[in-house]
Amino acid sequence: MKSENEIIDDFTAREYEFGFVTDIEMDVLPPGLNEEVIHFLSAKKEEPQWLLDWRLKSYEAFKRQKMPKWQNFEAPDVDFQDISYYAAPKDKPKYESLDEVDPELLETFEKLGIPLNEQKALAGVAVDAVFDSVSIGTTYKDELRKLGIIFCSMSEAVKEHPELVKKYLGTVVPPNDNIYASLNSAVFSDGSFVYIPEGVRCPMELSTYFRINSQNTGQFERTLIVAEKGSYVSYLEGCTAPRRDENQLHAAVVELIAMEDAEIKYSTVQNWFPGDNEGKGGIYNFVTKRGICKGNNSKISWTQVETGSSITWKYPSVILKGDNSSGEFYSVAVTKNHQIADTGTKMNHIGKNTKSRIISKGISAGKSQNSYRGLVQIGNRAQNARNFTQCDSLLIGNKCGAHTFPYIESKNKSAMLEHEATTSKIGEDQIFYLNQRGIDPEQAVALIVNGYAKEVLNQLPMEFAVEARKLLSLTLEGSVG
Amino acid sequence: MLKIKNLHASVEGNEILKGIDLDIKPGEIHAIMGPNGSGKSSLASVLAGKEEYEVTEGSIEFEGKDLLDMDPEIRAREGIFLAFQYPVEIPGVSNIGFLKTAINDIREHRQLPPLTAKEFLQRTKERQKLVDFNSKLVNRSLNEGFSGGEKKRNEIFQLAMLEPKLAILDETDSGLDIDALRIVADGVNKIQSENNAFLIITHYQRLLEYIVPDIVHVLAGGKIVKSGTKELALELEEKGYDWLKEDALNKTV
Ligand SMILES: Nc1ncnc2c1ncn2[C@@H]1O[C@H](COP(=O)(O)OP(=O)(O)O)[C@@H](O)[C@H]1O
Ligand SMILES: [Mg+2]
């Protein structure tokens, strides 16, 4: 192993020598962001020139961007020069056996009912031969390949399907969209790529779960899903197990493209480390997620269960371009201790007879702050557009905050917009009622919260929903007292 | 089964129960009547363990154990059931799912294995018929959008499902029409046995025509001012409560 100084020396030395286009053996870049860094990581990933150019252009955009000021929390100072932008995928497991893993983490795995081998994979323990993730992966891949479905890492897609990536990358979230999208476009590490050919209905839920131990996709994840005419896909991101990460800032970009009659369902369970009880050390999750219903009669549906991170800042959105297209957003965001969530959606109605539906359920406990922020835009061509928005807030205790910021911009008089909002507290009398039937207070809260979030949880694929339910209960353990 | 001795309890510093003595044995049905605000619901709340009530004096023994020492869910698991005067709505929580959790928590406490899905389904069907409860309501969210009468009947359905040792019915009859009242009373009579006991709080003697109590108590001003046979209920219906209040006052003076 080289010392840090040697690495830095190597790095700076080479800068003069080769200008970063050569193959370098370094595993980790020292912190810092500049053009050379982008040259370096693109070279490391053996990317084509067009992608390097695209990254560089994104970096130019990034430099011009300013931090947004409209959010309902004090944005933390992120020092972009203090982050390392390349780390080689780690093959080496962090631990030799589960005995070395934090028992608290294992206890949580246990409560969530995660199988032993998956626990190992998640905690970063060397996985034994029984759990052959490669073979699981290949079985699925074979079946998918027969249907012409592409499901692989973004790096692989750049190599194997450059024409598709080039055609769609950055078309929904342009590199200059916002500062974190620019940053992601400049330095994205890896992510998933999905392509569903015309008329194909993907027979299984595609899940990053299967790729968990194949590589560390890192903090700047990039995902692109294209559904061709008449196709269908359901995609699952994340998992319910608590995930720790040394990287504080996570700035992912997800782009969805649905052609005529196509449907994309995207479900997320986000459970990044929320920080300790004081809110220290948690992850900043600043994600840009957007889909476009490009063709007529297409549909995009986002479902999210957000329980982790110290700050969650994201608005999965849909551009409803095709006539009769529809967009949905179902969200449960839970905050406790000092967590902050500022999340919601944007529904941009462009085509005729477009429909959108927004169901947001915020749950705040402890000293947390939970905001719903939504924008419904009706363009002048969007004849007969409809939106239904319901945002509910549930408060546990009286030190937390719930806020809603619904915005509407309508340029078409035929639009029909409905908005409902409620704020409620978990009633002592509700808890007492359940206690009186033999159910303890923790379980009572879990039942009430799950009941409250039911409409959203019902949108999740079956197995995921079961896990998400348990996760909600676990997250709020100890919040009532 | 239940022994209440000199029970005093207060809410926010106001004494509501002012020395109650009550002894209920297995197989018995006790009725408590009394004017509004006399402390009937308060007594039920204290028995169930509602936090707001502070017991300042006296004791409650249930099956030989100190009831006041137990959290509300433990009291429930030990066999105390309260049919609430105003049952709450819990949106999104399925009636049946919640009952399954409750039954299995109670069974675990009594060191019994959980009911299998089949056994649970069987019990549900059987008890729902027993108390003539609408099967559509069984699968709905807990009391959400139920009418007043449906809520009351759901309490009786839950009572049938949970098989408590001591069931306290707090004005279950109010808000029920005569048919519903008869159905509820029928249900209670079917559930009633040598091994369980009922404490029926009611405003009217109407219910007591269908559920015949062994003893009737009159609660006024936080005290039991008179106890007697079922004929006492009729007397109350005729004369009202005022004569008892005076009686009680005379006694304390
Ligand atoms: N939470 C409370 N805070 C203050 N006073 C209460 C509370 N609950 C009940 N009370 C008072 O206690 C007395 C008895 O009430 P309650 O037990 O409901 O009577 P009943 O059921 O016989 O009509 C009433 O004067 C009522 O106002
Ligand atoms: Mg009352």
Side-chain angles (χ1 to χ4, degrees), chain B residues 13-128:
Chain B
N14 300 321
E15 184 162 78
I16 312 269
L17 301 181
K18 301 172 180 168
I20 291 194
D21 292 280
L22 191 62
D23 197 343
I24 301 180
K25 295 190 178 65
E28 289 182 347
I29 298 178
H30 288 235
I32 291 193
M33 302 182 75
N36 272 329
S38 59
K40 301 184 299 293
S41 291
S42 298
L43 176 61
S45 296
V46 171
L47 287 172
K50 204 169 166 97
E51 232 181 16
E52 290 98 294
Y53 287 86
E54 195 196 341
V55 173
T56 50
E57 221 183 310
S59 64
I60 307 177
E61 212 177 81
F62 181 63
E63 301 255 89
K65 293 178 193 162
D66 181 0
L67 193 72
L68 296 174
D69 229 21
M70 302 175 199
D71 284 335
E73 67 272 18
I74 305 298
R75 299 181 190 201
R77 293 172 195 172
E78 286 284 329
I80 288 191
F81 179 95
L82 171 58
F84 287 86
Q85 183 172 5
Y86 305 106
V88 295
E89 300 193 11
I90 308 186
V93 173
S94 101
N95 210 0
I96 202 70
F98 132 80
L99 274 174
K100 193 167 182 192
T101 307
I103 285 180
N104 286 334
D105 284 355
I106 293 170
R107 289 178 67 86
E108 193 184 333
H109 183 78
R110 299 179 187 168
Q111 281 153 12
L112 295 167
L115 289 184
T116 64
K118 203 177 149 199
E119 288 166 335
F120 179 73
L121 199 71
Q122 217 159 8
R123 184 190 289 204
T124 306
K125 269 194 194 153
E126 189 188 299
R127 304 299 154 87
Q128 171 218 318

Side-chain angles (χ1 to χ4, degrees), chain B:
Chain B
M1 178 179 281
L2 184 77
K3 279 198 180 75
I4 303 179
K5 279 192 191 131
N6 189 30
L7 180 70
H8 290 252
S10 45
V11 167
E12 291 163 8
N14 300 321
E15 184 162 78
I16 312 269
L17 301 181
K18 301 172 180 168
I20 291 194
D21 292 280
L22 191 62
D23 197 343
I24 301 180
K25 295 190 178 65
E28 289 182 347
I29 298 178
H30 288 235
I32 291 193
M33 302 182 75
N36 272 329
S38 59
K40 301 184 299 293
S41 291
S42 298
L43 176 61
S45 296
V46 171
L47 287 172
K50 204 169 166 97
E51 232 181 16
E52 290 98 294
Y53 287 86
E54 195 196 341
V55 173
T56 50
E57 221 183 310
S59 64
I60 307 177
E61 212 177 81
F62 181 63
E63 301 255 89
K65 293 178 193 162
D66 181 0
L67 193 72
L68 296 174
D69 229 21
M70 302 175 199
D71 284 335
E73 67 272 18
I74 305 298
R75 299 181 190 201
R77 293 172 195 172
E78 286 284 329
I80 288 191
F81 179 95
L82 171 58
F84 287 86
Q85 183 172 5
Y86 305 106
V88 295
E89 300 193 11
I90 308 186
V93 173
S94 101
N95 210 0
I96 202 70
F98 132 80
L99 274 174
K100 193 167 182 192
T101 307
I103 285 180
N104 286 334
D105 284 355
I106 293 170
R107 289 178 67 86
E108 193 184 333
H109 183 78
R110 299 179 187 168
Q111 281 153 12
L112 295 167
L115 289 184
T116 64
K118 203 177 149 199
E119 288 166 335
F120 179 73
L121 199 71
Q122 217 159 8
R123 184 190 289 204
T124 306
K125 269 194 194 153
E126 189 188 299
R127 304 299 154 87
Q128 171 218 318
K129 272 204 203 103
L130 188 76
V131 299
D132 196 10
F133 189 62
N134 186 340
S135 60
K136 283 196 193 100
L137 299 179
V138 170
N139 293 307
R140 285 244 302 263
S141 286
L142 187 44
N143 291 334
E144 192 182 8
F146 283 27
S147 73
E150 284 170 340
K151 283 180 190 169
K152 294 295 181 73
R153 293 182 59 177
N154 194 16
E155 296 291 289
I156 301 304
F157 169 62
Q158 291 179 31
L159 164 60
M161 288 293 283
L162 299 180
E163 304 179 332
K165 292 180 194 147
L166 173 68
I168 306 157
L169 273 57
D170 191 358
E171 297 207 24
T172 301
D173 51 337
S174 56
L176 293 183
D177 59 35
I178 192 74
D179 291 334
L181 183 79
R182 199 176 291 133
I183 291 165
V184 162
D186 271 358
V188 169
N189 287 329
K190 283 179 202 158
I191 296 164
Q192 199 268 334
S193 78
E194 280 308 299
N195 304 316
N196 58 24
F198 283 80
L199 181 59
I200 294 173
I201 296 171
T202 179
H203 218 67
Y204 312 99
Q205 64 85 37
R206 203 174 61 150
L207 178 67
L208 304 179
E209 282 172 17
Y210 301 100
I211 306 174
V212 182
D214 298 294
I215 305 171
V216 176
H217 309 276
V218 181
L219 190 64
K223 278 183 177 172
I224 292 181
V225 293
K226 200 172 175 68
S227 299
T229 55
K230 63 180 179 353
E231 282 72 29
L232 178 57
L234 284 168
E235 203 179 339
L236 287 168
E237 186 98 330
E238 263 169 46
K239 298 203 220 161
Y241 294 105
D242 287 348
W243 62 281
L244 279 170
K245 277 186 194 163
E246 280 150 34
D247 234 35
L249 279 176
N250 290 341
K251 252 190 255 169
T252 49
V253 170

